[in-house]
Amino acid sequence: MKFAYRFSNLLGTVYRRGNLNFTCDGNSVISPVGNRVTVFDLKNNKSNTLPLTTRYNVKCVGLSPDGRLAIIVDEGGNALLVSLVCRSVLHRFHFKGSVHSVSFSPDGRKFVITKGNIAQMYHAPGRKREFNAFVLDKTYFGPYDETTHIDWTDDSRCFAVGSKDMSTWVFGAERWDNLIYYALGGHKDAIVACFFESNSLDLYTLSQDGALCVWQCDTPPEGLRLKAPTGWKADLLQRKEQEEKEEEEEEEEEEAEQETTIRGKATPASEEQQGKVKYSRLAKYFFNKEGDFNNLTAAAYHKKIHLLVTGFASGIFHLHELPEFNLIHSLSISDQRIESVAINSSGDWIALGCSGLGQLLVWEWQSESYVLKQQGHFNSMVSLAYSPDGQYIVTGGDDGKVKVWNTLSGFCFITFTEHSSGVTGVTFTATGYVIVTSSMDGTVRAFDLHRYRNFRTFTSPRPTQFSCVAVDSSGEIVCAGAQDSFEIFIWSMQTGRLLEVLSGHEGPISGLCFNPMKSILASASWDKTVRLWDMVDSWRTTETLALTSDALAVTYRPDGAELAVATLNSQITFWDPENAVQTGSIEGRHDLKTGRKELDKITAKHSAKGKAFTTLCYSADGQSVLAGGMSKFVCIYHVKEQILRKKFEISCNLSLDAMEEFLNRRKMTEFGNLALIDQDAGEENGVAIPLPGVRKGDMSSRHFKPEIRVTSLRFSPTGRCWAATTTEGLLIYSLDTQMLFDPFELDTSVTPGRIRAALRQKDFTRAILMAVRLNEKLLLQETLEAVPWDEIDVISSSLPELYVEKVLEFLASSFEVSRHLEFYLIWTQKLLMAHGQKLKSRAGKLLPAVQFLQKSIQRHLDDVSKLCDWNRYNIQYALAVSKQRGMKRPSEPLGSEEADASDDEDSLHLLGGGHGDGDNGDRLLV
């Protein structure tokens, strides 16, 4: 139960490559991220990664019109049929080739995929259970080069396919008598996109050189005539008329078995063209101005509002109104190529994906504002740290950026770019509002999360590269280890001054860690030692722990009573820091199970001798240790028993290197390994090897496969989840308690019926004790909510101490989902007031539960306090306005300023006592 951690979310990477999709309600974006798919809910400000993976990176995603199903295809041609409702895989299929795009028909009955130079139409999977969800209906031949884009007519009668051979083909979904296929030219470069006009066969085609052709069709969609059946189909129809009692299902199966092939010709004979559908080109427009050349890379068209969005290789995107080709506006989002463009159903939001920087933007074009603007780390992430309450995660990357992520929403809300080189270490102070980072640029910086600024920059007397950073529990002392001078630098957070330089190590410093309970610093180095420095007693070395190999990582147990060190020989050793005695060791080489890279000369078994755990962290209760390194596995070990408890495979993506233990023999030829040859030479963004005299192409650019590795691991202070920075991004694994039955001191007398009987008898204490022992969440919720609020004080004081901990854990998890906020707050307050002193004696064991509780309450405090402040200011404003209105004079008839002035004088005379003759006084009174 305790280690039932499941993958829950992927942060740090928002878009890799592939096509973006909006859900049918237009409120969420579906983005391919490596071999996973993430759904960004723009209304509720949440991101969620689907719990499924493909074998290779996702290349295209097709969404059904009702938004229930999605077809996800990877680079290898493997397809997953996914239910977006229950978030699970329904069917797996292999298309036997690389698929470029996939598109459902608007009626949801068919879908078309483009593969190589052909298009294949399949029957779409229905809602009933089927043996084979993908049944091939027709195969369409015609284009001579790779097909690129698919678009359907609104009535699902025809679809258009664009190709790299500069032609666009219109195919009939049925065997129409006057339209079987039609080829359109008119372009001088590869077709990027083609779109039908709404309720029409009129067509727009866009090519890579920035040209748009408008094609008019002489036939409306209703004018398509169905071809009369011939041969076996005609015989079959006659037989159907004769045999009326035959079942319909058998007939459908008989028809579906016959797969038809349609072969198109670019120049059909004149006899074939008579009485057929004809296209004529109305206009041709160019996006690029004269002398300016910019490749068009992506496009999307909204048929209802006639809005065309085009993305270019320079990061510019245009909005045009068709068919007049009026420019609405043009904007540059970055200097990187726009890979994918999508428009939501209402036409308000435009999603743009840039694979070069890993950017995902959602732009509201009418208000000209960003709905979503997210970007991952450009290079790999190196380090991470949890905030003390577990609400935030900070990550540092090789690109020099420091990003802070909200664990609840999954979004990055602040990015610090002050570092000029790769970030090597990040940590939070005990308050949770200050982040301290170290970098290879020779600085250690402190960032404030209140004002989002860099308020301290610590430097060394001589320029040096910092490899790690640590902050003591008070937040006053900042330490960083140097990679080239083998020294540890200590600064004061208050003054920013350098306090001391600790020397003694004879190799680069690989890790620093403060004792959570004392001011003692542990430093690990490549000189095969771990040194303990006393911060109080003149920064002296209290102990030197001799190791058998180079130290790579060091960490303290949360209570400070144990120290774990990872060394280069794949061992994890445990030490008692008080007595400098080794208490145990774990041999982890066989658990790492490193893979063999494509270009490795030696086997994985021999290369594993040089691999080791590079990152360590203790679980929140200190009983287990989490370890990861140059491998796709993360291991959890039991410290006391020194055994492997569980091993997590963080990725199964074969697009990454070192994933498999053995090389693929198919790639080994008599001339050597095929991996040495750049496979992407023919792709538009790959390597173009030029001929002599040809200016295009760059021989220096190379395609490489990133290697799978785990760079940093951290357990959440709440103990409910842990995070890992990997080649794929920031992976979060959460404790999955929904499907597990984990009772506590259960016996035969504890049943749901007896618990409800105790509730009816108003014996609330006994009912709660039995519900905790059964450990069924819904039953425990029912029991607690049945207690009257005025009896909570008495019942909470009568609960045994052992059960209080369990109830507090339940309350912490309930705060995240329940609406009964005040009721659960009363429960929490009464339990802590009644048992606070006793619980304090077991603080170490209870710390994760208390921090989980604090995180849940803090989140509600932030939300409710904002709402209360907003309401309070609104009420104050309303009262102030009402008082001002009361002070105003009653409205008077409009007149000149002189008349107003005379009225004022008259009223003054009246108030003065009415001096003067009586007639004047009477006139004034009237």
Side-chain angles (χ1 to χ4, degrees):
M1 154 63 198
K2 200 171 179 187
F3 294 98
Y5 290 97
R6 293 267 183 90
F7 171 79
S8 67
N9 212 352
L10 171 66
L11 313 183
T13 318
V14 289
Y15 175 75
R16 279 280 168 85
R17 60 169 297 189
N19 62 316
L20 298 169
N21 284 280
F22 274 98
T23 52
C24 54
D25 60 358
N27 295 335
S28 301
V29 180
I30 297 175
S31 169
V33 185
N35 69 332
R36 300 179 187 271
V37 174
T38 304
V39 181
F40 295 95
D41 189 343
L42 304 174
K43 286 282 186 187
N44 300 317
N45 192 37
K46 277 197 173 183
S47 77
N48 212 326
T49 306
L50 299 180
L52 49 96
T53 56
T54 55
R55 292 190 66 194
Y56 295 90
N57 285 337
V58 175
K59 195 168 185 183
C60 53
V61 179
L63 216 61
S64 66
D66 59 0
R68 291 170 176 269
L69 297 175
I71 296 175
I72 300 167
V73 189
D74 66 14
E75 291 168 346
N78 298 295
L80 299 179
L81 176 64
V82 177
S83 167
L84 295 177
V85 179
C86 58
R87 297 157 54 87
S88 59
V89 178
L90 303 178
H91 185 66
R92 295 175 188 272
F93 190 78
H94 197 282
F95 285 116
K96 297 182 176 62
S98 181
V99 175
H100 191 280
S101 53
V102 56
S103 176
F104 274 88
S105 63
D107 62 4
R109 295 175 63 189
K110 304 280 178 70
F111 70 89
V112 171
I113 61 137
T114 56
K115 180 180 74 172
N117 65 336
I118 63 169
Q120 290 183 323
M121 185 163 70
Y122 287 81
H123 291 283
R127 295 194 183 177
K128 61 180 184 294
R129 191 184 291 272
E130 294 165 314
F131 175 69
N132 183 13
F134 292 5
V135 178
L136 181 62
D137 184 24
K138 294 182 183 71
T139 302
Y140 297 87
F141 292 87
Y144 295 104
D145 205 342
E146 281 186 34
T147 46
T148 56
H149 189 264
I150 310 163
D151 191 57
W152 285 84
T153 54
D154 285 344
D155 55 6
S156 305
R157 291 176 174 223
C158 304
F159 64 92
V161 174
S163 171
K164 285 186 181 176
D165 67 358
M166 301 176 278
S167 65
T168 308
W169 293 73
V170 181
F171 292 111
E174 303 290 341
R175 292 283 290 185
W176 304 116
D177 190 28
N178 50 348
L179 175 62
I180 297 174
Y181 62 87
Y182 201 100
L184 301 168
H187 286 283
K188 296 179 181 177
D189 210 339
I191 303 295
V192 173
C194 49
F195 304 106
F196 280 105
E197 190 54 90
S198 61
N199 299 314
S200 169
L201 290 176
D202 296 350
L203 195 65
Y204 302 107
T205 57
L206 295 99
S207 61
Q208 197 171 313
D209 58 357
L212 166 70
C213 286
V214 182
W215 303 89
Q216 187 180 29
C217 182
D218 64 350
T219 310
E222 300 80 30
L224 295 175
R225 302 185 302 273
L226 203 60
K227 195 170 186 178
T230 57
W232 65 271
K233 283 198 175 180
D235 298 340
L236 188 66
L237 283 171
Q238 287 174 6
R239 207 178 304 146
K240 280 182 192 171
E241 289 171 7
Q242 292 166 5
E243 301 170 6
E244 293 176 355
K245 294 178 183 178
E246 254 186 70
E247 293 183 8
E248 290 179 8
E249 292 177 9
E250 289 178 7
E251 294 165 11
E252 285 175 12
E253 285 170 14
E254 201 170 345
E255 277 195 81
E257 282 173 9
Q258 302 291 331
E259 178 234 320
T260 55
T261 302
I262 295 169
R263 296 183 181 273
K265 298 176 189 172
T267 53
S270 56
E271 303 89 49
E272 293 178 25
Q273 294 179 5
Q274 289 177 1
K276 307 285 186 186
V277 168
K278 286 186 181 176
Y279 275 92
S280 57
R281 193 172 78 187
L282 283 183
K284 188 172 184 180
Y285 302 106
F286 297 93
F287 290 93
N288 295 319
K289 295 173 186 171
E290 203 168 334
D292 175 34
F293 186 76
N294 197 355
N295 267 352
L296 191 147
T297 54
Y301 180 59
H302 196 281
K303 296 180 182 180
K304 289 178 184 172
I305 61 172
H306 307 287
L307 180 73
L308 176 71
V309 185
T310 48
F312 292 84
S314 62
I316 295 171
F317 74 92
H318 298 315
L319 267 72
H320 284 87
E321 188 181 8
L322 293 182
E324 293 84 12
F325 199 67
N326 297 328
L327 180 66
I328 297 171
H329 74 227
S330 175
L331 193 74
S332 175
I333 55 168
S334 70
D335 56 354
Q336 294 286 325
R337 163 195 180 92
I338 296 176
E339 197 80 26
S340 179
V341 176
I343 310 177
N344 76 339
S345 52
S346 63
D348 298 329
W349 293 346
I350 298 162
L352 303 151
C354 298
S355 61
L357 292 172
Q359 276 184 325
L360 177 63
L361 307 169
V362 180
W363 173 259
E364 188 171 18
W365 64 275
Q366 288 166 330
S367 64
E368 298 191 11
S369 60
Y370 286 111
V371 178
L372 173 73
K373 189 179 182 183
Q374 289 285 302
Q375 181 181 341
H377 285 280
F378 176 62
N379 286 337
S380 58
M381 294 186 198
V382 175
S383 54
L384 85 140
Y386 267 99
S387 62
D389 59 359
Q391 279 202 58
Y392 307 120
I393 297 175
V394 59
T395 58
D398 281 336
D399 55 358
K401 290 180 180 175
V402 177
K403 289 179 172 283
V404 189
W405 306 84
N406 188 323
T407 54
L408 295 168
S409 69
F411 287 119
C412 168
F413 62 91
I414 184 68
T415 303
F416 299 107
T417 57
E418 278 79 4
H419 283 296
S420 58
S421 187
V423 177
T424 54
V426 292
T427 185
F428 271 95
T429 58
T431 59
Y433 296 112
V434 175
I435 296 166
V436 183
T437 62
S438 62
S439 171
M440 301 293 269
D441 63 3
T443 62
V444 172
R445 295 177 185 269
F447 300 96
D448 180 10
L449 282 186
H450 281 305
R451 295 182 180 84
Y452 300 135
R453 64 191 178 100
N454 174 208
F455 69 95
R456 284 275 185 277
T457 303
F458 309 103
T459 55
S460 55
R462 291 189 310 277
T464 184
Q465 293 181 324
F466 294 114
S467 58
C468 48
V469 69
V471 181
D472 77 332
S473 53
S474 66
E476 294 297 319
I477 298 173
V478 178
C479 300
Q483 201 165 8
D484 41 11
S485 64
F486 314 154
E487 295 169 329
I488 300 165
F489 296 85
I490 300 175
W491 297 273
S492 165
M493 181 73 87
Q494 289 288 333
T495 61
R497 290 184 178 178
L498 183 67
L499 300 176
E500 187 68 33
V501 180
L502 306 179
S503 54
H505 280 295
E506 298 167 10
I509 313 297
S510 57
L512 293 175
C513 186
F514 268 100
N515 189 322
M517 301 301 166
K518 300 176 185 175
S519 290
I520 292 177
L521 175 72
S523 63
S525 170
W526 292 8
D527 63 1
K528 302 183 182 179
T529 61
V530 170
R531 291 175 182 262
L532 305 179
W533 312 82
D534 195 340
M535 297 287 108
V536 179
D537 190 9
S538 305
W539 297 296
R540 285 188 309 139
T541 308
T542 56
E543 294 290 350
T544 302
L545 312 178
L547 306 169
T548 54
S549 186
D550 300 7
L552 301 179
V554 63
T555 183
Y556 268 103
R557 203 164 71 184
D559 61 357
E562 191 175 67
L563 191 72
V565 185
T567 53
L568 193 59
N569 58 358
S570 303
Q571 281 190 345
I572 303 170
T573 52
F574 300 99
W575 298 79
D576 177 5
E578 287 293 320
N579 307 313
V581 175
Q582 184 175 339
T583 57
S585 69
I586 291 169
E587 182 66 51
R589 179 173 289 131
H590 299 297
D591 301 324
L592 259 176
K593 274 208 173 173
T594 54
R596 182 174 180 178
K597 290 195 279 187
E598 285 186 339
L599 303 177
D600 274 355
K601 302 291 187 214
I602 57 173
T603 62
K605 191 175 181 182
H606 286 289
S607 67
K609 292 175 183 175
K611 303 289 172 68
F613 292 118
T614 55
T615 175
L616 279 180
C617 77
Y618 273 96
S619 60
D621 58 3
Q623 291 181 9
S624 307
V625 70
L626 203 61
M630 300 276 285
S631 163
K632 61 178 178 179
F633 291 107
V634 170
C635 304
I636 292 187
Y637 292 100
H638 192 283
V639 176
K640 202 171 183 183
E641 304 291 337
Q642 295 172 16
I643 56 170
L644 179 69
R645 276 188 158 178
K646 192 157 185 182
K647 190 154 65 169
F648 297 93
E649 187 179 5
I650 56 165
S651 177
C652 59
N653 188 0
L654 297 179
S655 296
L656 302 174
D657 211 353
M659 284 297 297
E660 294 182 292
E661 193 173 349
F662 302 103
L663 281 182
N664 189 346
R665 291 294 172 192
R666 290 177 184 172
K667 292 188 176 179
M668 301 303 291
T669 64
E670 56 182 318
F671 307 107
N673 194 347
L674 285 177
L676 289 165
I677 301 168
D678 216 329
Q679 295 292 331
D680 291 346
E683 290 193 11
E684 65 272 9
N685 54 351
V687 181
I689 301 172
L691 296 168
V694 178
R695 292 184 181 180
K696 284 185 185 179
D698 180 13
M699 289 292 286
S700 64
S701 63
R702 284 288 177 269
H703 174 78
F704 71 98
K705 289 175 79 170
E707 185 182 349
I708 184 71
R709 64 176 66 187
V710 179
T711 50
S712 185
L713 287 168
R714 289 292 178 271
F715 240 101
S716 169
T718 63
R720 309 285 298 177
C721 52
W722 55 269
T725 53
T726 68
T727 312
E728 288 196 309
L730 175 60
L731 302 174
I732 295 181
Y733 283 76
S734 298
L735 202 59
D736 183 25
T737 55
Q738 297 171 356
M739 303 301 292
L740 293 166
F741 177 58
D742 183 35
F744 169 70
E745 294 183 358
L746 189 65
D747 58 28
T748 52
S749 62
V750 179
T751 62
R754 292 197 177 186
I755 293 169
R756 291 191 176 98
L759 285 176
R760 286 194 293 273
Q761 294 164 12
K762 308 282 186 188
D763 192 351
F764 297 118
T765 307
R766 190 163 65 89
I768 291 171
L769 292 180
M770 285 197 291
V772 170
R773 287 168 70 183
L774 195 61
N775 206 4
E776 277 287 328
K777 192 171 182 181
L778 291 173
L779 199 60
L780 187 54
Q781 180 183 339
E782 182 188 331
T783 310
L784 285 177
E785 289 178 1
V787 179
W789 71 270
D790 51 351
E791 291 185 33
I792 292 174
D793 197 0
V794 179
I795 291 164
S796 58
S797 58
S798 66
L799 286 177
E801 188 185 334
L802 196 60
Y803 288 82
V804 171
E805 180 186 344
K806 301 280 182 187
V807 175
L808 283 174
E809 280 183 12
F810 170 77
L811 290 171
S813 62
S814 297
F815 273 121
E816 295 188 343
V817 291
S818 179
R819 294 174 295 171
H820 306 299
L821 186 58
E822 188 184 0
F823 182 77
Y824 282 125
L825 280 171
I826 293 169
W827 261 110
T828 309
Q829 185 195 17
K830 299 299 182 189
L831 282 170
L832 292 174
M833 292 289 284
H835 302 274
Q837 289 299 322
K838 292 177 184 175
L839 293 175
K840 201 171 182 182
S841 61
R842 298 169 56 231
K845 214 169 183 183
L846 279 171
L847 192 62
V850 173
Q851 283 176 327
F852 186 31
L853 194 65
Q854 184 192 353
K855 174 189 171 183
S856 304
I857 295 172
Q858 183 66 41
R859 185 170 68 86
H860 280 297
L861 174 65
D862 294 343
D863 294 345
V864 175
S865 61
K866 282 178 190 172
L867 190 65
C868 291
D869 288 345
W870 173 257
N871 290 342
R872 197 171 80 235
Y873 298 146
N874 277 346
I875 291 166
Q876 287 176 359
Y877 174 74
L879 286 170
V881 167
S882 64
K883 283 178 184 173
Q884 290 227 345
R885 277 183 182 163
M887 291 165 64
K888 281 185 181 177
R889 290 175 299 146
S891 58
E892 295 168 356
L894 291 169
S896 63
E897 289 181 7
E898 291 83 13
D900 289 341
S902 64
D903 285 350
D904 288 343
E905 284 173 12
D906 291 342
S907 57
L908 285 169
H909 283 306
L910 180 64
L911 290 167
H915 298 294
D917 57 304
D919 294 332
N920 191 22
D922 291 338
R923 186 173 60 81
L924 280 170
L925 287 169
V926 171

